[in-house]
Amino acid sequence: MKMTMGPEMRYGKALFALSAESGDKKVSKDIAVVRGLFEEGHELAAVLADKVVSKNDKKNVLLALLKELKASEMVVNFASLMCDKGRAELLEGAVSWFHFYEMAADGVVTATVRTAHALTATQKTSIEKFVKDNAEGAKSIELEEEVDASLVAGFRVRIGSIEHDMSVRGRLDALRTSLN
């Protein structure tokens, strides 16, 4: 899922802050399970995104699932609040952002690398070093790789909201902009 910086980011951050404050490790485990459901393409995502399904029905489906999973009270209350506010369709993004904040707190930095061709092991090691040097507090790096032939050659690395463009496409675009 592509994470957007909208209300789902704020919901994820709020849940992470509450979880960290309470010290309840079950919240993290429950969120990981819910995140896994979305990643597996569970029908929950379709129900929450459906504009025809009422927010009350979405809430009932979600709470029944969380009850079946024996989710913590904090996760149940969080999901219930999102449904009450008419934000059930943002749950997938919120749990993704929760995971992002959790990883960041543990010093794990996730970077997205777009390359014209698949990376070799040596290139991957170099990019990981680049990310570690450019990401404050990074203890370990998780690289998400995407192949994009339109880059021609080189790569783009996104660390959080900052993108480092070292592609031929980026240089051509910069040249085109400077000539206009």
Side-chain angles (χ1 to χ4, degrees):
M1 146 167 222
K2 182 172 172 114
M3 293 175 20
T4 59
M5 297 170 82
E8 56 270 60
M9 181 177 83
R10 292 187 299 277
Y11 277 104
K13 186 174 187 176
L15 180 60
F16 174 74
L18 286 170
S19 170
E21 185 179 300
S22 74
D24 187 352
K25 299 294 183 196
K26 182 152 176 29
V27 172
S28 179
K29 291 176 185 169
D30 293 344
I31 292 298
V33 170
V34 173
R35 203 168 138 255
L37 292 175
F38 285 118
E39 289 174 357
E40 294 167 5
H42 190 275
E43 63 192 61
L44 175 64
V47 170
L48 296 180
D50 194 328
K51 302 288 184 203
V52 177
V53 178
S54 72
K55 68 180 183 181
N56 197 41
D57 288 342
K58 290 177 184 183
K59 180 177 179 176
N60 290 337
V61 167
L62 187 54
L63 294 182
L65 177 64
L66 292 174
K67 182 178 181 183
E68 183 180 315
L69 295 172
K70 297 180 173 124
S72 67
E73 183 180 353
M74 187 179 296
V75 171
V76 171
N77 290 341
F78 174 76
S80 182
L81 174 71
M82 287 192 75
C83 291
D84 291 343
K85 297 291 183 185
R87 302 288 188 144
E89 72 281 358
L90 300 179
L91 182 63
E92 182 177 7
V95 298
S96 293
W97 276 106
F98 177 93
H99 177 69
F100 172 84
Y101 286 115
E102 187 174 50
M103 299 291 278
D106 290 340
V108 178
V109 173
T110 302
T112 303
V113 182
R114 293 177 60 206
T115 60
H117 308 284
L119 292 173
T120 65
T122 305
Q123 290 170 324
K124 197 182 264 190
T125 302
S126 293
I127 291 173
E128 286 175 347
K129 182 184 178 333
F130 173 82
V131 171
K132 201 166 201 173
D133 291 345
N134 286 280
E136 195 174 313
K139 293 178 186 169
S140 65
I141 308 299
E142 275 189 13
L143 283 183
E144 296 175 357
E145 297 179 53
E146 298 174 3
V147 175
D148 180 356
S150 73
L151 295 178
V152 184
F155 57 91
R156 289 180 178 165
V157 179
R158 178 172 290 281
I159 307 168
S161 62
I162 299 171
E163 184 170 84
H164 302 273
D165 190 345
M166 292 159 268
S167 68
V168 171
R169 170 62 44 213
R171 290 182 183 156
L172 290 172
D173 290 344
L175 180 62
R176 183 181 307 113
T177 301
S178 70
L179 292 174
N180 287 337

